Amino acid sequence: RPPPLEGEGPAILPLLRSFGRERGWTLTSEPKGPRLRSPQGASITLEPGGQIEYATRPHESTRALHDDLVAILGAFHERAADQGLALIAAGIDPDHGIDAAPLLLDTSRYRQMDAYFAAIGDAGARMMRQTAALQINIDADDPADAWATLNAAAPVLVAAFANSARYAGRDTGYASYRAETWRHVDDARTGMLPEGDPAEVYAAFALRAPAILLPRTLRALPFVEHRRLGARAPEWREHLTTLFPEV
């Protein structure tokens, strides 16, 4: 079964504490949840259902990035096994349904997001609590050209790295059930964006998306309406963290 954050038997936070102690990393509690940070700037954080995410420090070559991943993830797998935990690298939980995946990070942010997505369907709960992904951030000499290239490549990359055909113990019929799940989360904040100037396209997309972290009575309104009602830069920056387009 998916492990709890704390409690008797194997659990996630004791794993983070143990791994951090042996490597000199620091475990802190932040608004979005616990963060284990290395002195060099890498970090291990949790997603709402307890998914474990490793973010490397920036690297100048793919070889250096690969070596970092092999070293840290190998050691982390060993430490997890020592504590009775098995880590699975998959786009979605292959063995369990949503009933086995409670909202482990019970913060105001995630409660609001969970309630908003639940009004659309059950895909939002699966996305938040049971999916994971490989995310790559690349500095580009020409951001507009990189934007166009990555959007064109996104469907190919999803297919090439698909590893989530099973969900809740059954074959779903999709090579990437993770991608299929995300298609049903919220059309206003996911998917592919149209061609055009990246800044203009993304700004329009972000302004149209419902502001789900602002007060409950206004939550369903697009952010552009909140802006007219007085929303400022901090609310805008927080809103941007709730948008999940492919690129």
Side-chain angles (χ1 to χ4, degrees):
R1 302 281 290 180
L5 288 180
E6 296 269 27
E8 296 183 6
I12 297 171
L13 288 179
L15 168 61
L16 296 186
R17 295 190 191 102
S18 175
F19 186 78
R21 280 195 302 269
E22 72 179 18
R23 306 189 77 86
W25 293 23
T26 303
L27 183 63
T28 59
S29 180
E30 301 184 5
K32 290 177 66 175
R35 178 184 294 272
L36 187 62
R37 190 185 299 274
S38 80
Q40 293 77 29
S43 66
I44 294 176
T45 55
L46 300 180
E47 290 300 299
Q51 308 98 306
I52 295 171
E53 180 173 284
Y54 174 52
T56 74
R57 62 182 177 84
H59 289 285
E60 294 185 358
S61 71
T62 53
R63 170 58 64 184
L65 172 61
H66 176 267
D67 291 347
D68 181 329
L69 290 169
V70 169
I72 295 299
L73 296 184
F76 197 75
H77 273 264
E78 291 180 5
R79 174 56 59 190
D82 290 342
Q83 299 200 12
L85 293 168
L87 303 179
I88 298 173
I92 199 166
D93 186 335
D95 300 318
H96 305 93
I98 192 61
D99 291 343
L103 190 66
L104 293 188
L105 296 187
D106 191 21
T107 65
S108 174
R109 169 191 174 88
Y110 291 132
R111 284 195 302 272
Q112 287 176 256
M113 292 177 66
D114 202 45
Y116 171 82
F117 292 135
I120 299 173
D122 59 3
R126 291 200 304 274
M127 177 275 286
M128 289 181 62
R129 307 178 205 174
Q130 295 187 288
T131 65
L134 175 66
Q135 300 174 18
I136 302 175
N137 300 295
I138 303 173
D139 287 338
D141 294 332
D142 184 342
D145 183 58
W147 168 267
T149 301
L150 291 171
N151 272 285
V156 178
L157 293 173
V158 169
F161 289 94
N163 70 347
S164 53
R166 291 182 62 79
Y167 173 68
R170 64 179 179 85
D171 188 345
T172 64
Y174 295 92
S176 176
Y177 192 61
R178 176 197 178 276
E180 173 63 12
T181 294
W182 276 74
R183 290 190 183 99
H184 301 283
V185 170
D186 179 9
D187 289 344
R189 58 189 356 99
T190 61
M192 303 292 296
L193 301 187
E195 295 182 4
D197 177 83
E200 293 180 1
V201 169
Y202 205 91
F205 163 71
L207 288 168
R208 287 195 305 269
I212 60 181
L213 299 182
L214 287 174
R216 178 178 294 275
T217 55
L218 303 177
R219 186 184 301 163
L221 290 179
F223 190 90
V224 66
E225 299 298 328
H226 289 279
R227 188 177 66 168
R228 295 190 182 109
L229 293 169
R232 295 291 183 263
E235 289 89 353
W236 173 244
R237 286 194 291 269
E238 188 72 3
H239 172 65
L240 292 175
T241 69
T242 71
L243 307 178
F244 312 110
E246 290 294 321
V247 180

